[in-house]
Amino acid sequence: MLGAVALAGGVATALAPTARAAQTFSAVNGTASGAAVHLLAGSNAFPNFRTGAVDNRYPLAQARVDSSPSAEGTASVLDTGPLGQTAVAAFNSGPPSPPAPVPAPPPPPPGGPQLSQPQYADAKFPPGADKPVVVGSPGGPYAAATAVLNKATAQSELASGPPGAAPSTASLSKLDTVLAAWRAQFLTAADSRRFPAVHPTAAQPDGADGLAGLGTATFDAAAGQLVLASDTRVAHASFGGGAIALFGVHSAVQIVNDGAPKDSTKIEIANATVGGVPVTVGPDGVSVNGTQLPGIGQALQQANTALNAALGQAGYQVFVSAPDVKKTDHQETVSAAAVHVTFQQPAGPAGVPQQFFDIKLGEAFADSLATPGEPPGSGTQVSGLSEAAGGAAPTTGFIPGTEATSGTPAVPGTPGGALASSGINKSPQAALRPLGSARRIVSQKPLWLLLFYFMWQAALIGTAASLWWWRMAEKQ
């Protein structure tokens, strides 16, 4: 009986689950940003700007944390991009110095006029703040950012975004012509009446409304996770003088990183039309919604090819690109956009600049790095010496972004120093391994399992004693 109890106790001890210690990281860095509209625009008259003179996000929401520890949230209803940043920096730096050999005048006294960009809400930790930094108010142009230990958030809202690059009258006329020809070829009279043509007009400026962006970055030291999330929404957007319309655009990206990053991405487009015809948007461009236009019938594929070709003749492309995912050990970067709308002005007379734009609706981005390991200066070995000497050991599981501090090396004249000078610490790793292993076992096993272990040991001793007494009784 006692032998069965002992065997059961041994099996239970071997199979009992071990509590998982919180993951520690030698490096943590995460950024999540979202923009309802990302506008790249310019012309070949400005070759110095790689992505165009305009590289702006409306509205912008970006959050960042790292293991220094630091955190920052930045939100803006009107990001000015490289052109605006260059102009502000040039103004604030003062007038340029005259060429040599004319002596340069003394710099302007401090406190002179300086340009600022009050449309940015920027919060940083340290020092951090209990209340968010706010620009505007909800319901109108609104931006808010927070930054505390291990967490940053940014959110922004904009009822109506700034107008994009306005195509010329000739471009709109070209678009109207090619769409009218396509409708005449593929739409039946019934379908044409059901979905009347929408003609491009300069009175309908390109742009978007109902814009919102959200970015959050959180390092949960207790759970051992870096969590990044970005979410962007566009209620309505139109291009080509109203000929291209999109509704209910939404994209979201999340990365949860505990040393092995895992991502999830969502892209949604509620509705879209081209020239008044309902379409869906995919990687290959737009496709006619055949369920709403039954008259196209077997010519659906041909109609799709011809519609994208017609848009291309007028300089337009509308498509959805697959999320760009880059993944390495402990790091992942995800960039997604719900819809791309590009325009390249057809070539004109020599010397006349060509304008272009590339608009990303619902841009979401996250970059996550969490490298497992003891952070530099965590003092794990030193804490083992202090405990061996009978003193209270400082925190050894230092996690970036927490209030734990690294250990202090022992010095001669202290208990730890005595150990070191006596030769016990000739091999710190070998000397500390048994103690550290025992401490980890005790900290990871629940109390009931420890009591079960003692009961098992008692059962084994009792069994051995019973067998000895039985043998002695036989000899008598």
Side-chain angles (χ1 to χ4, degrees), residues 96-201:
S97 301
V102 180
Q114 296 280 295
L115 287 179
S116 63
Q117 300 194 70
Q119 75 275 23
Y120 286 91
D122 192 33
K124 295 182 180 180
F125 175 89
D130 295 334
K131 296 182 179 180
V133 178
V134 175
V135 173
S137 58
Y142 175 67
T146 64
V148 295
L149 178 65
N150 293 334
K151 184 175 182 179
T153 66
Q155 65 179 108
S156 51
E157 301 174 2
L158 193 59
S160 180
S168 64
T169 303
S171 297
L172 296 180
S173 177
K174 177 68 173 178
L175 180 60
D176 192 23
T177 300
V178 294
L179 290 180
W182 180 87
R183 290 177 62 94
Q185 180 179 358
F186 291 101
L187 297 191
T188 64
D191 287 343
S192 185
R193 287 193 299 270
R194 188 178 299 110
F195 299 101
V198 175
H199 298 283
T201 172

Side-chain angles (χ1 to χ4, degrees), residues 237-331:
S238 66
F239 306 94
I244 302 169
L246 301 124
F247 304 87
V249 177
H250 173 222
S251 64
V253 168
Q254 183 184 61
I255 300 178
V256 178
N257 193 346
D258 60 358
K262 303 174 184 64
D263 68 271
S264 60
T265 304
K266 177 184 291 185
I267 293 177
E268 298 174 316
I269 306 168
N271 192 20
T273 61
V274 173
V277 174
V279 299
T280 59
V281 185
D284 297 327
V286 297
S287 300
V288 177
N289 191 329
T291 59
Q292 298 188 49
L293 285 89
I296 289 183
Q298 299 299 320
L300 182 60
Q301 185 58 48
Q302 183 183 357
N304 293 337
T305 302
L307 181 56
N308 286 284
L311 291 173
Q313 291 178 38
Y316 287 91
Q317 278 187 304
V318 183
F319 61 95
V320 172
S321 58
D324 184 13
V325 180
K326 296 181 175 65
K327 197 168 186 177
T328 59
D329 289 344
H330 319 305
Q331 183 174 12

Side-chain angles (χ1 to χ4, degrees), residues 14-459:
L15 298 182
T18 300
R20 184 180 183 272
Q23 179 69 277
T24 59
F25 299 96
S26 60
V28 171
N29 199 319
T31 301
S33 67
V37 176
H38 182 185
L39 172 62
L40 301 170
S43 76
N44 54 10
F46 298 98
N48 293 335
F49 294 96
R50 181 179 59 85
T51 58
V54 177
D55 186 355
N56 306 354
R57 292 170 171 84
Y58 315 111
L60 170 67
Q62 179 173 290
R64 181 192 61 81
V65 295
D66 64 40
S67 54
S68 52
S70 70
E72 183 175 7
T74 303
S76 176
V77 295
L78 186 62
D79 177 40
T80 53
L83 186 60
Q85 301 289 354
T86 301
V88 171
F91 180 88
N92 291 340
S93 64
S97 301
V102 180
Q114 296 280 295
L115 287 179
S116 63
Q117 300 194 70
Q119 75 275 23
Y120 286 91
D122 192 33
K124 295 182 180 180
F125 175 89
D130 295 334
K131 296 182 179 180
V133 178
V134 175
V135 173
S137 58
Y142 175 67
T146 64
V148 295
L149 178 65
N150 293 334
K151 184 175 182 179
T153 66
Q155 65 179 108
S156 51
E157 301 174 2
L158 193 59
S160 180
S168 64
T169 303
S171 297
L172 296 180
S173 177
K174 177 68 173 178
L175 180 60
D176 192 23
T177 300
V178 294
L179 290 180
W182 180 87
R183 290 177 62 94
Q185 180 179 358
F186 291 101
L187 297 191
T188 64
D191 287 343
S192 185
R193 287 193 299 270
R194 188 178 299 110
F195 299 101
V198 175
H199 298 283
T201 172
Q204 176 67 47
D206 291 356
D209 53 65
L211 314 179
L214 174 66
T216 62
T218 304
F219 175 50
D220 188 337
Q225 287 184 338
L226 173 63
V227 181
L228 306 177
S230 173
D231 189 286
T232 60
R233 298 173 186 268
V234 179
H236 167 252
S238 66
F239 306 94
I244 302 169
L246 301 124
F247 304 87
V249 177
H250 173 222
S251 64
V253 168
Q254 183 184 61
I255 300 178
V256 178
N257 193 346
D258 60 358
K262 303 174 184 64
D263 68 271
S264 60
T265 304
K266 177 184 291 185
I267 293 177
E268 298 174 316
I269 306 168
N271 192 20
T273 61
V274 173
V277 174
V279 299
T280 59
V281 185
D284 297 327
V286 297
S287 300
V288 177
N289 191 329
T291 59
Q292 298 188 49
L293 285 89
I296 289 183
Q298 299 299 320
L300 182 60
Q301 185 58 48
Q302 183 183 357
N304 293 337
T305 302
L307 181 56
N308 286 284
L311 291 173
Q313 291 178 38
Y316 287 91
Q317 278 187 304
V318 183
F319 61 95
V320 172
S321 58
D324 184 13
V325 180
K326 296 181 175 65
K327 197 168 186 177
T328 59
D329 289 344
H330 319 305
Q331 183 174 12
E332 184 172 20
T333 303
V334 179
S335 180
V339 183
H340 285 257
V341 180
T342 67
F343 171 75
Q344 176 69 54
Q345 184 178 1
V352 177
Q354 291 178 266
Q355 65 173 333
F356 65 87
F357 68 72
D358 180 358
I359 293 181
K360 300 176 184 179
L361 299 178
E363 181 183 66
F365 171 85
D367 180 27
S368 175
L369 168 68
T371 305
E374 285 292 328
S378 59
T380 303
Q381 295 179 3
V382 175
S383 66
L385 284 174
S386 301
E387 187 173 350
T395 302
T396 59
F398 174 69
I399 300 176
T402 67
E403 295 180 356
T405 57
S406 58
T408 304
V411 295
T414 65
L419 283 174
S421 61
S422 66
I424 296 176
N425 196 31
K426 289 182 179 179
S427 177
Q429 292 82 359
L432 295 177
R433 190 175 297 115
L435 177 61
S437 300
R439 184 170 67 251
R440 283 194 297 272
I441 291 174
V442 173
S443 65
Q444 294 177 3
K445 297 290 185 183
L447 179 59
W448 68 266
L449 187 57
L450 188 62
L451 296 176
F452 205 117
Y453 172 77
F454 286 130
M455 292 173 61
W456 174 50
Q457 291 291 326

